[in-house]
Amino acid sequence: MTHLVSIRDLGREEIASLFRLAADLKAKRKAGDRSTPLTGRTLALVFEKPSLRTRVTFEVAMVHLGGRAIYLSANEIGLGVRESVPDVARNLGRWVDVIAARTLRHATVEGLARHAGIPVVNGLSDLEHPCQALADFFTLWERGWDLARIRVAWIGDGNNVCHSIMLLSALTGASVAVACPPGYEPQPAIQAACRELGGRFSITPDPRQAAEGADVLYTDVWISMGQEAERELRLEAFQRYQVNDTLVGFAKPSAVVMHCLPAHRGEEITDAVVDGPRSLVLEQAENRLHLQKALLVALLGASDV
């Protein structure tokens, strides 16, 4: 693994290795281990979008590992406006050891990876959110779920998180049923990539059909950052796609509920579900830290962990 721009940058064994390393780092930290395998190493956080979980978990990850993170907002860099993406990449590549980028367009994080000469991690783009998907499946894996046998029901927008969940499912053997309104399906290129990887997925406009017999119900906001102008249109399109107690009742009795947060309570998910006993949302959020620590260690080739 040279970069993590897409889930497709990973192989099946690399995913399993990342999960084992994340579990090991998590256990050691909780046991009081304070080893610092990335002492002296620096991470640049290039963020065109604001963030709570992605920014904090990457910054804390570098602190835990002995390194340092430098946050660079869109206003500070003017990525692709004040200075070209290749020039920003070539400069950062001479100063820091790794870049985590949260970009408006997927082409921007691809451009950084192409020109930086150092590892680049996609911290979210309009096409994928690989760190989120990896932390989510790590959460299921550490709870003992057999990823090759689970059935995931994605309820809502066929967005960037959905894309990475679909691709990761194709690599781990999980099956995915996507329920979304017509016109909001996952992009055809992602569907094609999943087929090439041997993935098992279906797309339906019926959320109950997708939830039927599912092991995992996953949803995300209906209106993401930058889509505020579409608010009324989206609220009308997605009103049947709320994850509530009725919909959860169609899943297996053992089913769990996931959400990448932030949650728009009362829209895509109810308080009773997001705060209920089936919810894994805070475990997902915590595991962003542990999974990304494993990712940084793997990308920078640190052996003393």
Side-chain angles (χ1 to χ4, degrees):
M1 176 176 51
T2 304
H3 306 284
L4 180 65
V5 173
S6 164
I7 287 293
R8 283 173 283 183
D9 292 328
L10 297 169
R12 291 175 174 83
E13 180 49 39
E14 285 177 306
I15 294 167
S17 178
L18 273 177
F19 287 178
R20 291 192 295 269
L21 180 55
D24 183 53
L25 291 168
K26 182 176 181 177
K28 286 179 176 175
R29 183 76 189 178
K30 289 184 182 294
D33 187 307
R34 296 294 184 267
S35 57
T36 53
L38 297 187
T39 297
R41 312 299 284 274
T42 307
L43 163 70
L45 294 171
V46 179
F47 277 30
E48 291 186 299
K49 284 186 168 185
S51 165
L52 172 66
R53 277 155 293 280
T54 302
R55 176 177 177 176
V56 173
T57 53
F58 268 116
E59 291 202 20
V60 173
M62 286 303 283
V63 170
H64 284 185
L65 296 168
R68 183 181 177 189
I70 301 171
Y71 181 79
L72 298 164
S73 70
N75 289 338
E76 288 167 302
I77 297 182
L79 195 60
V81 179
R82 174 176 169 270
E83 191 162 1
S84 74
V85 171
D87 281 352
V88 170
R90 293 184 187 112
N91 277 267
L92 288 174
R94 288 173 178 256
W95 302 326
V96 304
D97 299 289
V98 57
I99 298 169
R102 186 174 175 90
T103 62
L104 298 171
R105 298 185 310 121
H106 191 71
T108 301
V109 71
E110 288 181 321
L112 290 170
R114 189 177 307 117
H115 297 284
I118 57 174
V120 172
V121 177
N122 180 355
L124 178 141
S125 70
D126 59 343
L127 187 66
E128 279 201 53
H129 198 351
C131 293
Q132 181 68 57
L134 287 167
D136 297 336
F137 271 43
F138 171 63
T139 302
L140 297 169
W141 175 85
E142 72 171 353
R143 277 183 159 244
W145 291 83
D146 182 350
L147 299 181
R149 295 178 180 274
I150 62 171
R151 182 173 186 273
V152 179
W154 178 274
I155 310 296
D157 195 2
N159 62 11
N160 48 1
V161 181
C162 177
H163 290 164
S164 289
I165 291 290
M166 289 177 66
L167 291 168
L168 188 53
S169 294
L171 285 169
T172 59
S175 66
V176 183
V178 178
C180 56
Y184 295 93
E185 295 89 352
Q187 291 189 12
I190 296 295
Q191 297 183 41
C194 286
R195 291 190 190 95
E196 290 174 8
L197 293 171
R200 296 175 293 143
F201 69 93
S202 60
I203 299 174
T204 173
D206 186 348
R208 295 188 174 188
Q209 180 181 335
E212 183 77 41
D215 298 292
V216 179
L217 291 175
Y218 201 132
T219 189
D220 192 4
V221 294
W222 296 339
I223 304 142
S224 295
M225 286 180 287
Q227 296 172 333
E228 291 79 5
E230 305 172 31
R231 177 173 177 79
E232 296 307 317
L233 180 66
R234 283 178 166 266
L235 285 177
E236 182 177 353
F238 285 97
Q239 59 181 327
R240 293 175 53 222
Y241 296 84
Q242 184 184 73
V243 176
N244 50 35
D245 285 331
T246 301
L247 190 66
V248 172
F250 285 86
K252 289 181 180 176
S254 58
V256 294
V257 175
M258 306 187 91
H259 191 304
C260 52
L261 300 178
H264 291 180
R265 293 164 178 260
E267 291 185 6
E268 79 277 0
I269 196 165
T270 60
D271 285 340
V273 173
V274 75
D275 297 327
R278 295 169 181 263
S279 174
L280 299 185
V281 299
L282 293 180
E283 289 182 46
Q284 295 172 254
E286 179 187 342
N287 282 333
R288 291 289 306 276
L289 170 64
H290 305 298
L291 190 285
Q292 286 161 197
K293 285 170 70 174
L295 190 58
L296 292 168
V297 166
L299 284 169
L300 294 177
S303 56
D304 183 23
V305 294

